[in-house]
Amino acid sequence: MSTDFGIDLEEVRRVIDGAVVLVVRFSLTDRRLLVDTRTNDADGPLVRVVPPVASGEERFKALRALRPGFPPPERILTFQWPRHARSLVDSGLWEHLARRAVAIGGPATSDDCEAAMRELIAAERRAEITAIRGGEGFKTLWERG
């Protein structure tokens, strides 16, 4: 068991390998990583950054809107990643997830994975800048006099 990242990486790998639909939540941004491994004749797996929802029911509705050619999944697995999105790459989990999505098939899956990671990193950067500037939802501790 490796807990270098504050989480059992082997358990996360098992979740990634077993999930049909997976949502990863992040600490620094409200954006979510949605991975839907289902395929049909027209569509391959989906790897996309999505906005948060207020409930599980809303997530199922949002997924139905994104993937109208698929029936609702039995369940949607979710977990909180306790570090920056970049650390998913450093931990090897991102490569594991992307490799699984690419192996399932779909012409743009690899590009989708790269675009999703860029979007997550950018969202975290925007959240950090907002925090530094004391933007909405944040309070500055010290201000210039």
Side-chain angles (χ1 to χ4, degrees):
M1 172 173 85
S2 173
T3 57
D4 294 344
F5 291 85
I7 194 166
D8 183 342
L9 299 180
E10 288 307 313
E11 181 62 25
V12 175
R13 281 186 187 90
R14 281 191 289 279
V15 169
I16 290 169
D17 290 343
V20 174
V21 178
L22 174 68
V23 174
V24 182
R25 299 181 323 269
F26 295 89
S27 299
L28 292 177
T29 179
D30 66 351
R31 307 302 288 171
R32 308 295 193 240
L33 176 66
L34 172 66
V35 180
D36 184 344
T37 63
R38 298 173 297 165
T39 64
N40 62 22
D41 292 338
D43 296 305
L46 176 79
V47 177
R48 184 179 290 176
V49 177
V50 295
V53 294
S55 68
E57 184 179 317
E58 281 189 31
R59 179 60 67 206
F60 277 93
K61 285 180 185 177
L63 185 57
R64 220 171 309 137
L66 274 175
R67 309 274 277 174
F70 294 93
E74 239 179 77
R75 64 182 175 191
I76 298 174
L77 294 176
T78 184
F79 71 89
Q80 175 78 31
W81 181 249
R83 304 241 176 165
H84 286 2
R86 242 186 222 111
S87 67
L88 269 176
V89 175
D90 298 338
S91 71
L93 289 173
W94 185 255
E95 181 181 348
H96 186 80
L97 187 148
R99 208 174 324 132
R100 178 169 185 236
V102 169
I104 291 169
T109 303
S110 182
D111 291 340
D112 293 343
C113 291
E114 290 177 29
M117 181 51 71
R118 281 193 307 273
E119 187 175 342
L120 287 168
I121 290 169
E124 286 183 342
R125 182 72 179 140
R126 286 189 303 273
E128 290 168 340
I129 290 169
T130 301
I132 290 167
R133 292 182 176 160
E136 187 178 334
F138 295 96
K139 249 183 163 174
T140 58
L141 297 176
W142 300 280
E143 292 187 26
R144 270 186 214 178

